[in-house]
Amino acid sequence: MLARDTFLQGLKPTLHIAHRGGALVAPENTLEAFRLAVETYRTDMLELDVHLSRDGEVIVAHDDTLERCTDGAGPLAALTLAELLKLDAGYHFSPDAGRTFPFRGRGVRLPTLREVLRAFPSLRLNVELKPDVPGGEDVLARLLTDEAALGRVCLGSEQDAIAERLVRVLPDACHFYPRDALAAFVLALKAGEVPPEDARYTVLDMPLYFGEVRLVDDALLEAAASRGKWINVWTVDDPAEMDQLLREGVGGIMTDRPDLLRQRMDASGKPG
């Protein structure tokens, strides 16, 4: 069985997906956030981002610089793993607009992707490779292969060039649509046209809105499903939107508020 088929096997709408682990309830893209999402909010999937350190380790982080989420400064890629592990990744997290910083000085750090894979050995992950660095796809591919994780990871990039390189090195894996390919698919469906067929990509990780236009509706969900595509919507933190998406049966909801999504899913009687 292809890795992409293994990833999709048994999935049923609607998935609870913790975006960066739940960026509004704990320091994003850290083991602390991931554990909270899994153990407390029973998340079905973790969404996370990865970069490469100076010495070629795959680091879980969203930004290419360190200021927003750690007490460090400068480009992440300029530091080695040992140097990155010294940073406080809980330094700036505040649940109350800067009045308190409950995770400061508690040993929260940037994790490696290998650590996350081993910490949650049966959980599915949505992994975005961030930097456009030739060869980064090879490093990620070796790691996922070494960890026997290809069947539980859907990977990709917002950038089409990176996504295409990932498909080239891991053709049997599950890949989500990059920006331009996603726009071509969704806009064609919205215009009542036949979307371009692209077997490379299986999952549409897509925004709920484009400007004021709500992109997700029954017609889009049905058209995607008829073509064997799965839709995850980001980033949904409003309870009313969560309720509507649950009624519509979207494939997955990515949220920075896994606590709220769990409440809404439990109230709706949705499995998960």
Side-chain angles (χ1 to χ4, degrees), residues 15 26 62 85 102-103 134 136 155 165 167 172 186 203-204 232 240 249:
L15 300 179
H62 178 272
L85 292 180
F103 287 89
L155 66 157
R165 296 202 301 266
V167 170
D172 296 336
V186 173
V203 173
L204 290 85
N232 298 320

Side-chain angles (χ1 to χ4, degrees), residues 99-269:
R99 289 188 293 275
T100 63
F101 298 89
F103 287 89
R104 275 188 185 178
R106 289 179 49 184
V108 179
R109 56 183 179 77
L110 298 173
T112 66
L113 180 58
R114 193 182 304 273
E115 285 181 287
V116 176
L117 290 168
R118 293 181 178 182
F120 309 100
S122 61
L123 194 69
R124 288 178 172 89
L125 307 179
N126 189 102
V127 177
E128 179 172 354
L129 179 60
K130 281 293 185 180
D132 189 359
V133 179
E137 66 277 3
D138 297 304
V139 177
L140 181 57
R142 283 195 299 270
L143 171 60
L144 295 175
T145 302
D146 290 346
E147 293 295 318
L150 284 174
R152 62 188 184 96
V153 171
C154 191
L155 66 157
S157 171
E158 181 184 12
Q159 300 182 55
D160 286 65
I162 301 174
E164 289 164 6
R165 296 202 301 266
L166 284 167
V167 170
R168 188 168 64 247
V169 297
L170 291 170
D172 296 336
C174 176
H175 295 270
F176 61 81
Y177 277 75
R179 179 176 52 210
D180 292 347
L182 174 66
F185 186 93
V186 173
L187 291 176
L189 287 177
K190 285 293 182 181
E193 301 169 357
V194 176
E197 180 56 40
D198 197 331
R200 298 173 298 176
Y201 308 116
T202 307
V203 173
L204 290 85
D205 289 345
M206 59 179 289
L208 180 56
Y209 284 90
F210 181 75
E212 299 297 317
V213 178
R214 192 178 193 273
L215 296 177
V216 176
D217 55 24
D218 289 340
L220 179 69
L221 292 171
E222 291 169 7
S226 70
R227 291 165 172 81
K229 309 296 184 181
W230 181 277
I231 294 180
N232 298 320
V233 179
W234 53 262
T235 303
V236 182
D237 299 327
D238 178 71
E241 290 286 10
M242 292 175 180
D243 289 343
Q244 183 169 344
L245 287 165
L246 289 169
R247 289 192 298 269
E248 291 169 332
V250 70
I253 299 174
M254 294 182 174
T255 184
D256 288 329
R257 290 294 306 270
D259 53 339
L260 284 181
L261 180 56
R262 175 49 56 200
Q263 291 173 10
R264 303 318 306 155
M265 292 181 75
D266 287 350
S268 74

Side-chain angles (χ1 to χ4, degrees), residues 39-113:
E39 296 171 6
T40 301
Y41 304 124
R42 309 194 311 277
T43 200
D44 299 302
M45 187 183 301
L46 295 172
E47 187 277 341
L48 54 86
D49 315 278
V50 295
H51 289 259
L52 298 183
S53 67
R54 194 176 78 199
D55 49 350
E57 293 289 338
V58 183
I59 307 297
V60 180
H62 178 272
D63 297 1
D64 58 5
T65 55
L66 296 164
E67 287 84 353
R68 186 175 64 87
C69 292
T70 80
D71 58 347
L76 184 156
L79 300 186
T80 65
L81 173 61
E83 292 168 330
L84 291 168
L85 292 180
K86 296 176 183 177
L87 302 179
D88 185 346
Y91 189 82
H92 290 293
F93 177 81
S94 177
D96 49 21
R99 289 188 293 275
T100 63
F101 298 89
F103 287 89
R104 275 188 185 178
R106 289 179 49 184
V108 179
R109 56 183 179 77
L110 298 173
T112 66
L113 180 58

